[in-house]
Amino acid sequence: MLLDRFLLASRGFEHHLRSVPPDGWGAPTPCAEWDVRALVNHMTRGNLNYVGLLRGATREEFLALRDADALGDDPVAAFTGSVRGCAVAFAEEGALDRVVDYPLGKLTGRRALAVRTTDSTVHTWDLARALGADDALDPGLVAWIDEDYDTIFAGLALGPRFFAEPPPTPPGASRQDRLLTRFGRDPRPAG
């Protein structure tokens, strides 16, 4: 079920990735430090780095590769290949129970995959926003992250640098908007 959620979140990201126009790679995203290409690289490199963690990589190795180019000349193929590799690694026998040296603290593979799925979901919104596309996220993923947030991130050293300071949540905000606010996003319409 968790692996299915990861694949669902990845398909959402891929859907928007496939619609990046040739001149859209330098467009800004809600993540102030990244343009579209850097965001896609973050997602692709992230998938590859999670595979590394499952193979015994250390947090230092994870962080050293964090910004290394993983896209080459074909960002879509690079991303989809990284999703496949990540899914295969997490599907291996014992992978979900393996303890990995995640940069924010030691995690089981199960929790690492939950963090990865959450990251993929939130960054899907970021990419949609950057492209001016429909930014509605899968409601099942939103509900799962919202309900399991404390379990997913329990004991991790998130600190103030992990998420931006969240904007105030307006009364009557949707579940998606409340969740995005929790991750430091401002879901109000742009403009």
Side-chain angles (χ1 to χ4, degrees), residues 26-36 38-39 123 125-126 164 184-185:
T29 72
C31 304
E33 68 274 20
W34 294 327
D35 61 14
V36 167
L39 173 63
H123 285 317
W125 182 86
D126 293 330
R185 277 32 179 209

Side-chain angles (χ1 to χ4, degrees), residues 11-21 25 74 76-77 80 84 127 131:
R11 281 192 302 273
F13 190 86
E14 180 185 345
H15 168 76
H16 293 297
L17 172 58
R18 289 186 178 279
S19 69
V20 176
W25 294 100
D74 192 343
V76 174
T80 57
R84 279 191 306 276
L127 183 57
L131 299 173

Side-chain angles (χ1 to χ4, degrees), residues 16 124-125 128-129 133-137 176 180 187:
H16 293 297
T124 294
W125 182 86
R129 255 313 155 95
D134 178 3
D135 60 16
L137 298 170
Q176 174 176 307
L180 289 166

Side-chain angles (χ1 to χ4, degrees), residues 111-184:
R111 285 198 48 219
L113 183 55
V115 170
R116 186 76 203 126
T117 301
T118 300
D119 197 46
S120 297
T121 302
V122 173
H123 285 317
T124 294
W125 182 86
D126 293 330
L127 183 57
R129 255 313 155 95
L131 299 173
D134 178 3
D135 60 16
L137 298 170
D138 180 273
L141 286 172
V142 169
W144 168 71
I145 295 166
D146 187 40
E147 291 164 9
D148 289 0
Y149 180 92
D150 291 337
T151 302
I152 294 167
F153 293 102
L156 294 182
L158 298 179
R161 293 181 347 190
F162 194 70
F163 301 128
E165 184 66 31
T169 306
S174 69
R175 189 175 209 174
Q176 174 176 307
D177 287 355
R178 288 191 312 272
L179 181 71
L180 289 166
T181 300
R182 192 174 204 175
F183 284 94

Side-chain angles (χ1 to χ4, degrees), residues 88-111:
V88 166
F90 276 106
E92 289 175 2
E93 187 173 337
L96 296 180
D97 297 318
R98 195 171 303 141
V99 175
V100 300
D101 190 23
Y102 187 67
L104 301 176
K106 301 269 186 185
L107 293 177
T108 62
R110 181 173 284 101
R111 285 198 48 219

